[in-house]
């Protein structure tokens, strides 16, 4: 995203969820290791991504209701891909023309141009 090869899109709901997740103590050592605070990480992500508003889905799609907000954001942004490491979410496969793929598959798509 920093090199302009991909465009990241998020929503206020997803930023709030990321902040909640990053607040977990299990990430303390990770932040010490990278020399960055949670707030700096979150701010950097928010600055790198385009933030859009979206509405909730009319009916659930993903196994985890929080992932429906990822889908809603992707639909509102008319995204090409949703990239995740969450195996149940990967099982959804696609929503319309938006493929839900792993990080490794996303890197392959980016490299292939």
């Amino acid at each position: 995203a920093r090199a302009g090869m991909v465009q990241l899109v998020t929503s206020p709901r997803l930023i709030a969820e990321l902040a909640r997740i990053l607040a977990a103590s299990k990430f303390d050592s990770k932040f010490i290791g990278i020399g960055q605070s949670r707030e700096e990480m979150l701010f950097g992500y928010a600055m790198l991504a385009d933030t859009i508003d979206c509405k909730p889905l009319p009916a659930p799609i993903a196994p985890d209701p929080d992932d429906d907000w990822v889908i809603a954001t992707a639909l509102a942004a008319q995204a090409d891909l949703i990239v995740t490491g969450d195996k149940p979410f990967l099982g959804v496969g696609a929503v319309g023309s938006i493929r839900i793929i792993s990080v490794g598959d996303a890197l392959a798509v980016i490299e292939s141009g």
Side-chain angles (χ1 to χ4, degrees), residues 20-32 38:
R20 182 187 59 77
I21 291 167
L22 292 178
S25 61
K26 70 180 182 179
F27 294 115
D28 289 349
S29 63
K30 300 282 187 195
F31 284 104
I32 291 169
R38 287 169 170 82

Side-chain angles (χ1 to χ4, degrees), residues 8-99:
L8 299 179
V9 179
T10 192
S11 64
R13 177 84 176 229
L14 296 181
I15 291 172
E17 182 179 356
L18 180 59
R20 182 187 59 77
I21 291 167
L22 292 178
S25 61
K26 70 180 182 179
F27 294 115
D28 289 349
S29 63
K30 300 282 187 195
F31 284 104
I32 291 169
I34 63 171
Q36 199 173 38
S37 71
R38 287 169 170 82
E39 294 77 17
E40 290 169 327
M41 173 76 72
L42 191 62
F43 180 76
Y45 170 72
M47 293 305 295
L48 191 58
D50 291 330
T51 302
I52 63 167
D53 289 320
C54 62
K55 297 182 186 301
L57 297 176
I61 295 174
D64 179 346
D66 288 335
D67 292 336
D68 282 335
W69 283 101
V70 176
I71 294 169
T73 302
L75 288 168
Q78 299 178 341
D80 296 316
L81 302 171
I82 294 173
V83 181
T84 184
D86 183 282
K87 289 183 181 181
F89 193 19
L90 284 167
V92 174
V95 177
S97 64
I98 303 171
R99 294 184 297 151

